[in-house]
Amino acid sequence: MNRSSFVKKLLVFLGFSSSTNVLLSSCEKGETLLEVEEELSAEEKAYKELKENIGENGFFLDGKILNVDLTHKNYLKLQTTGEFINDSENYVLLLRKTEEDILALSNCCPHLGTSNRWSYSNGEFRCANHGNSYGTGIGFAANCSSNSTSGNLKQYKTEINQDILIVNFDT
Ligand code: FES
């Protein structure tokens, strides 16, 4: 039995999982270094990779998929129900609608396209440029800068993976 197999069996005996990876390597002085690395599931690996790709602004845009780190200081408001963030870098309003759900909506006003004058109350976003309000439901979505004065803002599909919000702009 080689040393790696022996150490692996020893770790199983001590209660580590049998899928634990054991890496043995020698350092300059001839001492043996032991690294124990738990095998991650595919989901855990994908999550870890996403976390590593999140940039200093708290998000990672991968094509049409936006990944937002909800623990990043830029997005902490989303931990409170009823709060929203106008993410102007990604042209999206992020709204913590309920404890379970975060909505992602276009931040382009359906009236004349203003994107930076939004407020939110009673389930609607109001654009202060001309005072029009738009819903956050599904159904009739008013397009960006289409001269619409009513309807819902365009909505994108979202999901939450642990502390990462995933927005699919292709929906
Ligand atoms: S541009 Fe938003 S209400 Fe007119």
Side-chain angles (χ1 to χ4, degrees):
M1 183 185 310
N2 66 30
R3 189 165 20 171
S4 176
S5 303
F6 171 76
V7 173
K8 193 166 183 174
K9 283 193 174 176
L10 179 64
L11 288 172
V12 171
F13 177 75
L14 292 174
F16 286 83
S17 123
S18 59
S19 61
T20 301
N21 281 336
V22 178
L23 302 171
L24 292 174
S25 59
S26 297
C27 68
E28 281 178 8
K29 292 177 184 173
E31 297 163 332
T32 300
L33 298 177
L34 171 66
E35 293 175 37
V36 178
E37 186 181 282
E38 278 295 319
E39 194 133 302
L40 299 176
S41 70
E43 265 177 35
E44 287 167 331
K45 274 184 191 160
Y47 168 79
K48 197 172 163 230
E49 204 177 299
L50 267 183
K51 275 296 245 196
E52 286 166 1
N53 281 324
I54 299 281
E56 60 182 21
N57 290 337
F59 68 86
F60 167 53
L61 186 60
D62 183 13
K64 291 189 172 180
I65 305 292
L66 173 67
N67 302 280
V68 170
D69 184 348
L70 295 171
T71 64
H72 188 278
K73 63 180 169 46
N74 290 354
Y75 295 95
L76 282 180
K77 270 174 84 179
L78 294 175
Q79 293 184 4
T80 307
T81 301
E83 289 284 357
F84 81 96
I85 287 170
N86 186 352
D87 184 342
S88 54
E89 270 189 272
N90 295 301
Y91 312 102
V92 70
L93 295 165
L94 301 173
L95 168 69
R96 169 65 78 166
K97 190 138 191 198
T98 65
E99 206 164 301
E100 294 81 28
D101 280 336
I102 296 177
L103 300 187
L105 307 128
S106 168
N107 76 349
C108 177
C109 180
H111 184 218
L112 297 180
T114 297
S115 63
N116 61 354
R117 303 199 57 194
W118 294 108
S119 58
Y120 176 77
S121 68
N122 297 325
E124 289 191 329
F125 277 98
R126 180 178 184 275
C127 173
N129 203 7
H130 305 99
N132 295 314
S133 293
Y134 303 92
T136 55
I138 44 175
F140 173 65
N143 288 325
C144 167
S145 199
S146 60
N147 214 20
S148 297
T149 56
S150 62
N152 291 310
L153 292 175
K154 180 173 172 47
Q155 195 168 144
Y156 308 104
K157 279 194 179 143
T158 60
E159 63 181 278
I160 297 174
N161 180 356
Q162 299 185 46
D163 54 10
I164 295 179
L165 170 70
I166 301 162
V167 180
N168 186 345
F169 286 127
D170 207 17
T171 54

mmCIF file with all atom_site columns, all heavy atoms in Angstrom, residues 16-37:
data_model
loop_
_atom_site.group_PDB
_atom_site.id
_atom_site.type_symbol
_atom_site.label_atom_id
_atom_site.label_alt_id
_atom_site.label_comp_id
_atom_site.label_asym_id
_atom_site.label_entity_id
_atom_site.label_seq_id
_atom_site.pdbx_PDB_ins_code
_atom_site.Cartn_x
_atom_site.Cartn_y
_atom_site.Cartn_z
_atom_site.occupancy
_atom_site.B_iso_or_equiv
_atom_site.pdbx_formal_charge
_atom_site.auth_seq_id
_atom_site.auth_comp_id
_atom_site.auth_asym_id
_atom_site.auth_atom_id
_atom_site.pdbx_PDB_model_num
ATOM 1   N N   . PHE A 1 16 ? -13.598 10.956 7.858  1.00 0.00 ? 16 PHE A N   1
ATOM 2   C CA  . PHE A 1 16 ? -13.712 11.743 6.630  1.00 0.00 ? 16 PHE A CA  1
ATOM 3   C C   . PHE A 1 16 ? -14.427 10.897 5.589  1.00 0.00 ? 16 PHE A C   1
ATOM 4   O O   . PHE A 1 16 ? -14.440 9.668  5.660  1.00 0.00 ? 16 PHE A O   1
ATOM 5   C CB  . PHE A 1 16 ? -12.331 12.138 6.096  1.00 0.00 ? 16 PHE A CB  1
ATOM 6   C CG  . PHE A 1 16 ? -11.668 13.215 6.900  1.00 0.00 ? 16 PHE A CG  1
ATOM 7   C CD1 . PHE A 1 16 ? -10.966 12.905 8.048  1.00 0.00 ? 16 PHE A CD1 1
ATOM 8   C CD2 . PHE A 1 16 ? -11.768 14.542 6.505  1.00 0.00 ? 16 PHE A CD2 1
ATOM 9   C CE1 . PHE A 1 16 ? -10.341 13.892 8.790  1.00 0.00 ? 16 PHE A CE1 1
ATOM 10  C CE2 . PHE A 1 16 ? -11.156 15.535 7.252  1.00 0.00 ? 16 PHE A CE2 1
ATOM 11  C CZ  . PHE A 1 16 ? -10.448 15.218 8.391  1.00 0.00 ? 16 PHE A CZ  1
ATOM 12  N N   . SER A 1 17 ? -15.022 11.586 4.582  1.00 0.00 ? 17 SER A N   1
ATOM 13  C CA  . SER A 1 17 ? -15.744 10.849 3.549  1.00 0.00 ? 17 SER A CA  1
ATOM 14  C C   . SER A 1 17 ? -14.771 10.063 2.684  1.00 0.00 ? 17 SER A C   1
ATOM 15  O O   . SER A 1 17 ? -13.616 10.442 2.507  1.00 0.00 ? 17 SER A O   1
ATOM 16  C CB  . SER A 1 17 ? -16.552 11.842 2.712  1.00 0.00 ? 17 SER A CB  1
ATOM 17  O OG  . SER A 1 17 ? -16.216 11.761 1.388  1.00 0.00 ? 17 SER A OG  1
ATOM 18  N N   . SER A 1 18 ? -15.250 8.952  2.114  1.00 0.00 ? 18 SER A N   1
ATOM 19  C CA  . SER A 1 18 ? -14.386 8.124  1.279  1.00 0.00 ? 18 SER A CA  1
ATOM 20  C C   . SER A 1 18 ? -14.048 8.816  -0.030 1.00 0.00 ? 18 SER A C   1
ATOM 21  O O   . SER A 1 18 ? -13.159 8.396  -0.758 1.00 0.00 ? 18 SER A O   1
ATOM 22  C CB  . SER A 1 18 ? -15.040 6.785  1.005  1.00 0.00 ? 18 SER A CB  1
ATOM 23  O OG  . SER A 1 18 ? -16.271 7.003  0.369  1.00 0.00 ? 18 SER A OG  1
ATOM 24  N N   . SER A 1 19 ? -14.791 9.927  -0.352 1.00 0.00 ? 19 SER A N   1
ATOM 25  C CA  . SER A 1 19 ? -14.494 10.641 -1.593 1.00 0.00 ? 19 SER A CA  1
ATOM 26  C C   . SER A 1 19 ? -13.455 11.736 -1.363 1.00 0.00 ? 19 SER A C   1
ATOM 27  O O   . SER A 1 19 ? -13.130 12.498 -2.249 1.00 0.00 ? 19 SER A O   1
ATOM 28  C CB  . SER A 1 19 ? -15.762 11.242 -2.172 1.00 0.00 ? 19 SER A CB  1
ATOM 29  O OG  . SER A 1 19 ? -16.308 12.170 -1.263 1.00 0.00 ? 19 SER A OG  1
ATOM 30  N N   . THR A 1 20 ? -12.933 11.807 -0.144 1.00 0.00 ? 20 THR A N   1
ATOM 31  C CA  . THR A 1 20 ? -11.932 12.811 0.146  1.00 0.00 ? 20 THR A CA  1
ATOM 32  C C   . THR A 1 20 ? -10.676 12.588 -0.698 1.00 0.00 ? 20 THR A C   1
ATOM 33  O O   . THR A 1 20 ? -10.185 11.480 -0.817 1.00 0.00 ? 20 THR A O   1
ATOM 34  C CB  . THR A 1 20 ? -11.547 12.729 1.641  1.00 0.00 ? 20 THR A CB  1
ATOM 35  O OG1 . THR A 1 20 ? -12.706 12.949 2.411  1.00 0.00 ? 20 THR A OG1 1
ATOM 36  C CG2 . THR A 1 20 ? -10.483 13.735 1.994  1.00 0.00 ? 20 THR A CG2 1
ATOM 37  N N   . ASN A 1 21 ? -10.193 13.646 -1.310 1.00 0.00 ? 21 ASN A N   1
ATOM 38  C CA  . ASN A 1 21 ? -8.967  13.545 -2.083 1.00 0.00 ? 21 ASN A CA  1
ATOM 39  C C   . ASN A 1 21 ? -7.775  13.785 -1.176 1.00 0.00 ? 21 ASN A C   1
ATOM 40  O O   . ASN A 1 21 ? -7.784  14.679 -0.352 1.00 0.00 ? 21 ASN A O   1
ATOM 41  C CB  . ASN A 1 21 ? -8.931  14.611 -3.189 1.00 0.00 ? 21 ASN A CB  1
ATOM 42  C CG  . ASN A 1 21 ? -9.786  14.194 -4.349 1.00 0.00 ? 21 ASN A CG  1
ATOM 43  O OD1 . ASN A 1 21 ? -10.032 13.019 -4.537 1.00 0.00 ? 21 ASN A OD1 1
ATOM 44  N ND2 . ASN A 1 21 ? -10.238 15.161 -5.121 1.00 0.00 ? 21 ASN A ND2 1
ATOM 45  N N   . VAL A 1 22 ? -6.759  13.007 -1.341 1.00 0.00 ? 22 VAL A N   1
ATOM 46  C CA  . VAL A 1 22 ? -5.558  13.173 -0.540 1.00 0.00 ? 22 VAL A CA  1
ATOM 47  C C   . VAL A 1 22 ? -4.413  13.500 -1.478 1.00 0.00 ? 22 VAL A C   1
ATOM 48  O O   . VAL A 1 22 ? -4.158  12.787 -2.437 1.00 0.00 ? 22 VAL A O   1
ATOM 49  C CB  . VAL A 1 22 ? -5.223  11.875 0.230  1.00 0.00 ? 22 VAL A CB  1
ATOM 50  C CG1 . VAL A 1 22 ? -3.956  12.046 1.027  1.00 0.00 ? 22 VAL A CG1 1
ATOM 51  C CG2 . VAL A 1 22 ? -6.376  11.486 1.124  1.00 0.00 ? 22 VAL A CG2 1
ATOM 52  N N   . LEU A 1 23 ? -3.776  14.591 -1.230 1.00 0.00 ? 23 LEU A N   1
ATOM 53  C CA  . LEU A 1 23 ? -2.646  14.982 -2.046 1.00 0.00 ? 23 LEU A CA  1
ATOM 54  C C   . LEU A 1 23 ? -1.415  15.011 -1.170 1.00 0.00 ? 23 LEU A C   1
ATOM 55  O O   . LEU A 1 23 ? -1.379  15.683 -0.149 1.00 0.00 ? 23 LEU A O   1
ATOM 56  C CB  . LEU A 1 23 ? -2.882  16.380 -2.640 1.00 0.00 ? 23 LEU A CB  1
ATOM 57  C CG  . LEU A 1 23 ? -4.142  16.521 -3.493 1.00 0.00 ? 23 LEU A CG  1
ATOM 58  C CD1 . LEU A 1 23 ? -4.369  17.981 -3.839 1.00 0.00 ? 23 LEU A CD1 1
ATOM 59  C CD2 . LEU A 1 23 ? -4.012  15.702 -4.749 1.00 0.00 ? 23 LEU A CD2 1
ATOM 60  N N   . LEU A 1 24 ? -0.437  14.249 -1.555 1.00 0.00 ? 24 LEU A N   1
ATOM 61  C CA  . LEU A 1 24 ? 0.811   14.249 -0.807 1.00 0.00 ? 24 LEU A CA  1
ATOM 62  C C   . LEU A 1 24 ? 1.878   14.875 -1.682 1.00 0.00 ? 24 LEU A C   1
ATOM 63  O O   . LEU A 1 24 ? 1.973   14.603 -2.866 1.00 0.00 ? 24 LEU A O   1
ATOM 64  C CB  . LEU A 1 24 ? 1.222   12.815 -0.474 1.00 0.00 ? 24 LEU A CB  1
ATOM 65  C CG  . LEU A 1 24 ? 0.336   12.068 0.513  1.00 0.00 ? 24 LEU A CG  1
ATOM 66  C CD1 . LEU A 1 24 ? 0.815   10.625 0.615  1.00 0.00 ? 24 LEU A CD1 1
ATOM 67  C CD2 . LEU A 1 24 ? 0.347   12.730 1.865  1.00 0.00 ? 24 LEU A CD2 1
ATOM 68  N N   . SER A 1 25 ? 2.633   15.742 -1.121 1.00 0.00 ? 25 SER A N   1
ATOM 69  C CA  . SER A 1 25 ? 3.731   16.307 -1.892 1.00 0.00 ? 25 SER A CA  1
ATOM 70  C C   . SER A 1 25 ? 4.900   16.553 -0.960 1.00 0.00 ? 25 SER A C   1
ATOM 71  O O   . SER A 1 25 ? 4.740   16.707 0.232  1.00 0.00 ? 25 SER A O   1
ATOM 72  C CB  . SER A 1 25 ? 3.298   17.593 -2.571 1.00 0.00 ? 25 SER A CB  1
ATOM 73  O OG  . SER A 1 25 ? 2.865   18.511 -1.601 1.00 0.00 ? 25 SER A OG  1
ATOM 74  N N   . SER A 1 26 ? 6.070   16.576 -1.521 1.00 0.00 ? 26 SER A N   1
ATOM 75  C CA  . SER A 1 26 ? 7.249   16.767 -0.702 1.00 0.00 ? 26 SER A CA  1
ATOM 76  C C   . SER A 1 26 ? 7.732   18.197 -0.802 1.00 0.00 ? 26 SER A C   1
ATOM 77  O O   . SER A 1 26 ? 7.706   18.790 -1.870 1.00 0.00 ? 26 SER A O   1
ATOM 78  C CB  . SER A 1 26 ? 8.360   15.844 -1.186 1.00 0.00 ? 26 SER A CB  1
ATOM 79  O OG  . SER A 1 26 ? 7.943   14.520 -1.011 1.00 0.00 ? 26 SER A OG  1
ATOM 80  N N   . CYS A 1 27 ? 8.134   18.744 0.307  1.00 0.00 ? 27 CYS A N   1
ATOM 81  C CA  . CYS A 1 27 ? 8.693   20.086 0.256  1.00 0.00 ? 27 CYS A CA  1
ATOM 82  C C   . CYS A 1 27 ? 10.210  19.965 0.250  1.00 0.00 ? 27 CYS A C   1
ATOM 83  O O   . CYS A 1 27 ? 10.765  18.877 0.275  1.00 0.00 ? 27 CYS A O   1
ATOM 84  C CB  . CYS A 1 27 ? 8.199   20.919 1.429  1.00 0.00 ? 27 CYS A CB  1
ATOM 85  S SG  . CYS A 1 27 ? 8.819   20.359 3.001  1.00 0.00 ? 27 CYS A SG  1
ATOM 86  N N   . GLU A 1 28 ? 10.893  21.111 0.212  1.00 0.00 ? 28 GLU A N   1
ATOM 87  C CA  . GLU A 1 28 ? 12.348  21.116 0.035  1.00 0.00 ? 28 GLU A CA  1
ATOM 88  C C   . GLU A 1 28 ? 13.092  20.305 1.085  1.00 0.00 ? 28 GLU A C   1
ATOM 89  O O   . GLU A 1 28 ? 14.050  19.625 0.800  1.00 0.00 ? 28 GLU A O   1
ATOM 90  C CB  . GLU A 1 28 ? 12.857  22.553 0.061  1.00 0.00 ? 28 GLU A CB  1
ATOM 91  C CG  . GLU A 1 28 ? 12.644  23.262 -1.259 1.00 0.00 ? 28 GLU A CG  1
ATOM 92  C CD  . GLU A 1 28 ? 13.106  24.689 -1.207 1.00 0.00 ? 28 GLU A CD  1
ATOM 93  O OE1 . GLU A 1 28 ? 13.729  25.092 -0.204 1.00 0.00 ? 28 GLU A OE1 1
ATOM 94  O OE2 . GLU A 1 28 ? 12.824  25.398 -2.177 1.00 0.00 ? 28 GLU A OE2 1
ATOM 95  N N   . LYS A 1 29 ? 12.658  20.376 2.336  1.00 0.00 ? 29 LYS A N   1
ATOM 96  C CA  . LYS A 1 29 ? 13.383  19.717 3.406  1.00 0.00 ? 29 LYS A CA  1
ATOM 97  C C   . LYS A 1 29 ? 13.049  18.231 3.505  1.00 0.00 ? 29 LYS A C   1
ATOM 98  O O   . LYS A 1 29 ? 13.444  17.556 4.434  1.00 0.00 ? 29 LYS A O   1
ATOM 99  C CB  . LYS A 1 29 ? 13.081  20.390 4.740  1.00 0.00 ? 29 LYS A CB  1
ATOM 100 C CG  . LYS A 1 29 ? 13.643  21.794 4.824  1.00 0.00 ? 29 LYS A CG  1
ATOM 101 C CD  . LYS A 1 29 ? 13.268  22.436 6.132  1.00 0.00 ? 29 LYS A CD  1
ATOM 102 C CE  . LYS A 1 29 ? 13.754  23.871 6.179  1.00 0.00 ? 29 LYS A CE  1
ATOM 103 N NZ  . LYS A 1 29 ? 13.280  24.579 7.362  1.00 0.00 ? 29 LYS A NZ  1
ATOM 104 N N   . GLY A 1 30 ? 12.280  17.721 2.550  1.00 0.00 ? 30 GLY A N   1
ATOM 105 C CA  . GLY A 1 30 ? 11.962  16.303 2.571  1.00 0.00 ? 30 GLY A CA  1
ATOM 106 C C   . GLY A 1 30 ? 10.772  15.971 3.443  1.00 0.00 ? 30 GLY A C   1
ATOM 107 O O   . GLY A 1 30 ? 10.426  14.817 3.613  1.00 0.00 ? 30 GLY A O   1
ATOM 108 N N   . GLU A 1 31 ? 10.145  17.028 3.996  1.00 0.00 ? 31 GLU A N   1
ATOM 109 C CA  . GLU A 1 31 ? 8.964   16.755 4.805  1.00 0.00 ? 31 GLU A CA  1
ATOM 110 C C   . GLU A 1 31 ? 7.790   16.500 3.872  1.00 0.00 ? 31 GLU A C   1
ATOM 111 O O   . GLU A 1 31 ? 7.777   16.949 2.737  1.00 0.00 ? 31 GLU A O   1
ATOM 112 C CB  . GLU A 1 31 ? 8.632   17.964 5.685  1.00 0.00 ? 31 GLU A CB  1
ATOM 113 C CG  . GLU A 1 31 ? 9.727   18.275 6.692  1.00 0.00 ? 31 GLU A CG  1
ATOM 114 C CD  . GLU A 1 31 ? 9.579   19.671 7.255  1.00 0.00 ? 31 GLU A CD  1
ATOM 115 O OE1 . GLU A 1 31 ? 9.030   20.521 6.543  1.00 0.00 ? 31 GLU A OE1 1
ATOM 116 O OE2 . GLU A 1 31 ? 10.014  19.874 8.389  1.00 0.00 ? 31 GLU A OE2 1
ATOM 117 N N   . THR A 1 32 ? 6.827   15.780 4.368  1.00 0.00 ? 32 THR A N   1
ATOM 118 C CA  . THR A 1 32 ? 5.650   15.502 3.545  1.00 0.00 ? 32 THR A CA  1
ATOM 119 C C   . THR A 1 32 ? 4.517   16.428 3.931  1.00 0.00 ? 32 THR A C   1
ATOM 120 O O   . THR A 1 32 ? 4.218   16.588 5.104  1.00 0.00 ? 32 THR A O   1
ATOM 121 C CB  . THR A 1 32 ? 5.208   14.050 3.749  1.00 0.00 ? 32 THR A CB  1
ATOM 122 O OG1 . THR A 1 32 ? 6.291   13.218 3.363  1.00 0.00 ? 32 THR A OG1 1
ATOM 123 C CG2 . THR A 1 32 ? 3.987   13.726 2.907  1.00 0.00 ? 32 THR A CG2 1
ATOM 124 N N   . LEU A 1 33 ? 3.935   17.073 2.917  1.00 0.00 ? 33 LEU A N   1
ATOM 125 C CA  . LEU A 1 33 ? 2.783   17.933 3.168  1.00 0.00 ? 33 LEU A CA  1
ATOM 126 C C   . LEU A 1 33 ? 1.541   17.151 2.819  1.00 0.00 ? 33 LEU A C   1
ATOM 127 O O   . LEU A 1 33 ? 1.500   16.425 1.835  1.00 0.00 ? 33 LEU A O   1
ATOM 128 C CB  . LEU A 1 33 ? 2.856   19.186 2.291  1.00 0.00 ? 33 LEU A CB  1
ATOM 129 C CG  . LEU A 1 33 ? 4.054   20.090 2.523  1.00 0.00 ? 33 LEU A CG  1
ATOM 130 C CD1 . LEU A 1 33 ? 4.005   21.245 1.531  1.00 0.00 ? 33 LEU A CD1 1
ATOM 131 C CD2 . LEU A 1 33 ? 4.060   20.617 3.943  1.00 0.00 ? 33 LEU A CD2 1
ATOM 132 N N   . LEU A 1 34 ? 0.555   17.294 3.633  1.00 0.00 ? 34 LEU A N   1
ATOM 133 C CA  . LEU A 1 34 ? -0.696  16.585 3.402  1.00 0.00 ? 34 LEU A CA  1
ATOM 134 C C   . LEU A 1 34 ? -1.805  17.602 3.183  1.00 0.00 ? 34 LEU A C   1
ATOM 135 O O   . LEU A 1 34 ? -1.988  18.507 3.975  1.00 0.00 ? 34 LEU A O   1
ATOM 136 C CB  . LEU A 1 34 ? -0.999  15.732 4.642  1.00 0.00 ? 34 LEU A CB  1
ATOM 137 C CG  . LEU A 1 34 ? -2.363  15.071 4.702  1.00 0.00 ? 34 LEU A CG  1
ATOM 138 C CD1 . LEU A 1 34 ? -2.484  14.025 3.602  1.00 0.00 ? 34 LEU A CD1 1
ATOM 139 C CD2 . LEU A 1 34 ? -2.554  14.422 6.064  1.00 0.00 ? 34 LEU A CD2 1
ATOM 140 N N   . GLU A 1 35 ? -2.454  17.481 2.060  1.00 0.00 ? 35 GLU A N   1
ATOM 141 C CA  . GLU A 1 35 ? -3.593  18.361 1.801  1.00 0.00 ? 35 GLU A CA  1
ATOM 142 C C   . GLU A 1 35 ? -4.831  17.497 1.666  1.00 0.00 ? 35 GLU A C   1
ATOM 143 O O   . GLU A 1 35 ? -4.826  16.500 0.963  1.00 0.00 ? 35 GLU A O   1
ATOM 144 C CB  . GLU A 1 35 ? -3.397  19.138 0.500  1.00 0.00 ? 35 GLU A CB  1
ATOM 145 C CG  . GLU A 1 35 ? -2.256  20.123 0.575  1.00 0.00 ? 35 GLU A CG  1
ATOM 146 C CD  . GLU A 1 35 ? -2.033  20.773 -0.774 1.00 0.00 ? 35 GLU A CD  1
ATOM 147 O OE1 . GLU A 1 35 ? -3.029  21.038 -1.471 1.00 0.00 ? 35 GLU A OE1 1
ATOM 148 O OE2 . GLU A 1 35 ? -0.874  20.998 -1.110 1.00 0.00 ? 35 GLU A OE2 1
ATOM 149 N N   . VAL A 1 36 ? -5.853  17.879 2.340  1.00 0.00 ? 36 VAL A N   1
ATOM 150 C CA  . VAL A 1 36 ? -7.097  17.134 2.274  1.00 0.00 ? 36 VAL A CA  1
ATOM 151 C C   . VAL A 1 36 ? -8.133  18.025 1.603  1.00 0.00 ? 36 VAL A C   1
ATOM 152 O O   . VAL A 1 36 ? -8.350  19.139 2.016  1.00 0.00 ? 36 VAL A O   1
ATOM 153 C CB  . VAL A 1 36 ? -7.582  16.752 3.684  1.00 0.00 ? 36 VAL A CB  1
ATOM 154 C CG1 . VAL A 1 36 ? -8.911  16.012 3.595  1.00 0.00 ? 36 VAL A CG1 1
ATOM 155 C CG2 . VAL A 1 36 ? -6.535  15.928 4.394  1.00 0.00 ? 36 VAL A CG2 1
ATOM 156 N N   . GLU A 1 37 ? -8.710  17.523 0.568  1.00 0.00 ? 37 GLU A N   1
ATOM 157 C CA  . GLU A 1 37 ? -9.662  18.328 -0.186 1.00 0.00 ? 37 GLU A CA  1
ATOM 158 C C   . GLU A 1 37 ? -10.955 17.526 -0.369 1.00 0.00 ? 37 GLU A C   1
ATOM 159 O O   . GLU A 1 37 ? -10.943 16.467 -0.960 1.00 0.00 ? 37 GLU A O   1
ATOM 160 C CB  . GLU A 1 37 ? -9.015  18.615 -1.546 1.00 0.00 ? 37 GLU A CB  1
ATOM 161 C CG  . GLU A 1 37 ? -9.793  19.548 -2.425 1.00 0.00 ? 37 GLU A CG  1
ATOM 162 C CD  . GLU A 1 37 ? -9.049  19.724 -3.740 1.00 0.00 ? 37 GLU A CD  1
ATOM 163 O OE1 . GLU A 1 37 ? -8.074  20.486 -3.771 1.00 0.00 ? 37 GLU A OE1 1
ATOM 164 O OE2 . GLU A 1 37 ? -9.456  19.073 -4.710 1.00 0.00 ? 37 GLU A OE2 1
#
